[in-house]
Amino acid sequence: MGRLVVVSFRLGSTDGVSIEAAKWIGALRELGHRVTSVAGSGVADEIVPGLAIRDERPLDEHQLEAALRGADVVVVENMISLPLNVTARDALSRILDERPAVIHDHDLAWQRPEWCDEPAPADRPWWRHVTINELSRRELAERGISATTIYNTFDITPPPGDREATRYDLKVTDERLLLHPSRAIPRKNVAGALRLAEELDATLWLLGPAEDGFAEELEHIVSSARVAVRRGALPNRDIHDAYAASDLVVMPSTWEGFGNPVLESVTHRRALAVYPYPVLEEIHSFGFQFFDLSDVEEIDTFLTAPDEAMWDNNLDIARAHFNVADLPARLAPLLESWGLN
């Protein structure tokens, strides 16, 4: 067994990278490895100043190097993949220049409009790139980088959540509730979620905060809404309560590296209305049944009389292909090439 360090811009948050990193840490420990975490912000065993996304503090490169010293393998969560902190990215690349590392690529720079001309991420003979979808794996291959795809994984039997209490806290009674479990940033397409809520005469619950300078635009979108909008998480309520309270999950994003709410809607037995972002086709190919945002009549029919068989079928597919219980077995071969088993 080995000593592993997981390093990221941030950990312990509600973003997809933090959530999946936590699952990896759990799986690696289940395999018997000693795992510690390092991040620039959030919750980690060690916080390094200057390592966070768009961190304006000087990077303490000596502290970063010391935090990684002695690790048999370093697991890098998206820090090499996206230029969210170029100083930290380049320093980490130097420190890991001749060391074993798993480069967990949740996103790639050219997949975002603002970085479409960015080059491929760094690569070394002793690194192993892991993508969360086949699209990214193919795009890396086109740029001369070999990678393995390991899809995001999920708890197939999550806690049920408290539907009635959560709806009471939201002041939602008999009306339909659409859950948009996302931060508010441009690519999450809050306006698309709101349009569907208006067509279904439903209340929209936007779970996450505005980020990346989107607050003013969000205020404009919400202020012109023709239906009620609830915003933000509730005290003493968790994500399972949010899914339980909802009647429909809406995922109108134009781009996602994976899109965790897609599978979370499946494991919580909720219908999903989704925009066909590129990676969705890959997920959909496993046989899932989802609704397009434009399928208003079909969604209305389903919400009036839900089809239990559709939920059962979706859950069976998730259990076979996206089960977090299978994650240790999927990660083990990565480490065996360095003699860790």
Side-chain angles (χ1 to χ4, degrees):
M1 300 307 165
R3 177 173 179 262
L4 279 65
V5 177
V6 175
V7 58
S8 184
F9 293 122
R10 63 183 173 190
L11 290 170
S13 186
T14 58
D15 62 285
V17 174
S18 293
I19 290 169
E20 294 310 308
K23 294 173 188 174
W24 274 44
I25 289 171
L28 292 168
R29 286 175 176 162
E30 190 173 330
L31 289 170
H33 302 294
R34 291 175 293 125
V35 186
T36 56
S37 58
V38 177
S41 64
V43 180
D45 294 314
E46 187 164 354
I47 299 295
V48 177
L51 201 64
I53 294 172
R54 301 181 187 88
D55 204 328
E56 296 181 355
R57 298 170 296 174
L59 174 64
D60 190 334
E61 193 167 336
H62 294 294
Q63 184 182 350
L64 177 59
E65 187 169 11
L68 304 181
R69 189 175 300 134
D72 295 302
V73 177
V74 176
V75 179
V76 182
E77 296 286 348
N78 230 30
M79 293 189 68
I80 302 294
S81 319
L82 287 183
L84 292 169
N85 182 333
V86 174
T87 299
R89 178 198 66 187
D90 293 347
L92 185 61
S93 295
R94 288 193 298 271
I95 292 170
L96 298 179
D97 185 58
E98 295 184 2
R99 299 180 57 182
V102 175
I103 311 301
H104 197 185
D105 298 304
H106 296 256
D107 303 275
L108 297 168
W110 56 83
Q111 295 169 344
R112 305 280 186 89
E114 63 269 34
W115 298 315
C116 60
D117 295 325
E118 282 283 323
D123 188 33
R124 302 289 185 271
W126 35 88
W127 293 359
R128 302 288 182 270
H129 279 266
V130 175
T131 60
I132 64 173
N133 59 66
E134 281 289 286
L135 174 65
S136 292
R137 186 194 63 76
R138 291 193 299 269
E139 290 181 349
L140 282 176
E142 291 168 358
R143 292 160 173 82
I145 297 176
S146 176
T148 300
T149 297
I150 297 179
Y151 289 112
N152 292 355
T153 56
F154 301 84
D155 181 358
I156 301 302
T157 56
D162 192 329
R163 176 178 174 85
E164 296 307 321
T166 306
R167 289 174 71 92
Y168 178 84
D169 291 346
L170 285 169
K171 297 180 172 57
V172 171
T173 53
D174 296 330
E175 64 265 39
R176 289 169 172 172
L177 179 64
L178 271 59
L179 176 67
H180 189 185
S182 168
R183 299 167 292 143
I185 56 178
R187 66 184 174 87
K188 300 294 185 177
N189 189 17
V190 176
L194 186 55
R195 281 194 298 272
L196 180 59
E198 290 173 340
E199 289 173 319
L200 293 170
D201 193 23
T203 295
L204 177 67
W205 185 9
L206 175 62
L207 202 56
E211 296 182 0
D212 297 349
F214 195 66
E216 184 176 347
E217 177 66 16
L218 178 62
E219 292 300 328
H220 174 73
I221 292 170
V222 171
S223 66
S224 61
R226 293 184 283 107
V227 293
V229 179
R230 303 288 189 264
R231 290 166 58 184
L234 294 173
N236 304 316
R237 300 292 174 200
D238 60 20
I239 187 64
H240 308 296
D241 294 316
Y243 279 108
S246 70
D247 299 296
L248 175 74
V249 179
V250 58
M251 184 77 172
S253 299
T254 56
W255 170 263
E256 294 285 346
F258 187 87
N260 280 8
V262 172
L263 266 293
E264 289 170 356
S265 71
V266 170
T267 61
H268 288 86
R269 297 179 69 82
R270 287 294 178 267
L272 173 72
V274 65
Y275 180 86
Y277 63 90
V279 177
L280 180 70
E281 181 180 351
E282 197 171 316
I283 299 171
H284 197 266
S285 68
F286 284 88
F288 291 111
Q289 293 176 270
F290 305 131
F291 294 102
D292 189 272
L293 287 179
S294 63
D295 295 336
V296 179
E297 185 175 344
E298 292 86 346
I299 293 170
D300 180 71
T301 299
F302 184 92
L303 294 179
T304 301
D307 180 2
E308 295 278 344
M310 187 188 85
W311 285 334
D312 292 340
N313 178 67
N314 281 352
L315 190 58
D316 287 343
I317 296 168
R319 181 179 292 108
H321 300 284
F322 300 94
N323 194 339
V324 72
D326 299 330
L327 185 57
R330 293 174 182 172
L331 294 180
L334 283 175
L335 305 177
E336 289 173 357
S337 60
W338 294 300
L340 300 179
N341 49 39

